[in-house]
């Protein structure tokens, strides 16, 4: 027997709420997310990671203050034993790659971003390593999400003018 997904009457997706109410939503959602991210129940963690990704739509400013603490958590969960958690972690990381690249460029102080710059080693390199590991994942859907996020990383680096410094030394592992 097939299961039907029936939305609750009057329910609105989180990303639509953030589009309408912006960063105001973050003040209400973030405490619940923090509890869910620390939960021992895998599905609560997955739902919280998904919600964090959905917040990107309209609450980016409200979430960005928390990203220095959240991003390592997301990278760690890209290697979670549960494939659904890996999938949604890859997707959520992809949603915030603009923040990562902008932070790297900002930390370079307006100077040219080089492949060995400390912000690259601290932020971009771990992201690249996790994405490449997930591209080799045994789960096809995890691979798809990782490839999509890697493409976002390339596009974002190009938009910020740091792809020439960051990408060439990493092409061999990518290929």
């Amino acid at each position: 027997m097939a299961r039907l997904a029936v939305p609750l009457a009057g329910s609105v997706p989180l990303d639509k709420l953030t589009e309408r109410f912006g960063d105001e939503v973050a003040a209400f959602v973030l405490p619940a997310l923090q509890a869910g991210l620390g939960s021992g129940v895998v599905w609560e963690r997955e739902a919280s990671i998904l919600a964090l990704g959905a917040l990107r739509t309209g609450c980016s400013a409200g979430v960005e203050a928390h990203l220095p603490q959240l991003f390592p958590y997301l990278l760690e969960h890209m290697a979670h034993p549960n494939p659904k958690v890996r999938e949604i972690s890859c997707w959520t990381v992809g949603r915030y790659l603009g923040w990562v690249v902008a932070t790297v460029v900002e930390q370079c102080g307006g100077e040219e971003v080089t492949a060995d710059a400390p912000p690259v080693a601290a932020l971009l390199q771990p992201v690249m390593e996790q994405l490449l590991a997930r591209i080799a994942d045994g789960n096809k859907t995890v691979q798809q999400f990782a490839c999509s996020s890697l493409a976002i990383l390339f596009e974002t680096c190009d938009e910020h003018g740091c792809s020439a410094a960051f990408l060439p030394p990493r092409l061999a592992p990518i290929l």
Side-chain angles (χ1 to χ4, degrees):
M1 183 166 134
R3 293 182 66 184
L4 294 175
V6 180
L8 297 173
S11 67
V12 178
L14 182 59
D15 57 345
K16 297 300 179 195
L17 284 174
T18 63
E19 286 175 9
R20 170 70 172 91
F21 297 104
D23 289 321
E24 296 174 35
V25 175
F28 294 103
V29 175
L30 283 173
L33 279 182
Q34 289 174 330
L37 292 172
S39 173
V41 179
V42 70
W43 303 115
E44 288 179 18
R45 283 188 183 193
E46 179 196 357
S48 298
I49 294 169
L50 177 64
L52 182 61
L55 286 177
R56 178 69 173 116
T57 302
C59 292
S60 58
V63 175
E64 283 182 4
H66 303 279
L67 285 177
Q69 295 82 28
L70 289 172
F71 216 78
Y73 175 90
L74 291 172
L75 293 179
E76 175 185 316
H77 278 72
M78 286 174 67
H80 194 277
N82 185 298
K84 285 295 198 188
V85 174
R86 293 194 308 271
E87 286 173 25
I88 215 61
S89 295
C90 286
W91 176 78
T92 301
V93 163
R95 303 274 290 174
Y96 289 101
L97 286 173
W99 170 82
V100 172
V101 174
T103 300
V104 167
V105 170
E106 180 183 305
Q107 288 180 1
C108 286
E111 297 177 20
E112 186 176 335
V113 177
T114 61
D116 58 351
V120 170
L123 287 170
L124 283 178
Q125 188 62 36
V127 171
M128 178 69 84
E129 289 171 1
Q130 279 298 330
L131 288 174
L132 291 176
R134 297 297 60 86
I135 287 172
D137 197 281
N139 183 291
K140 295 280 186 207
T141 309
V142 174
Q143 292 173 4
Q144 290 172 339
F145 279 95
C147 286
S148 175
S149 292
L150 188 63
I152 292 168
L153 177 62
F154 293 163
E155 291 170 2
T156 307
C157 284
D158 191 48
E159 289 169 8
H160 284 83
C162 61
S163 59
F166 176 68
L167 297 177
R170 290 158 181 85
L171 288 177
I174 291 168
L175 295 175

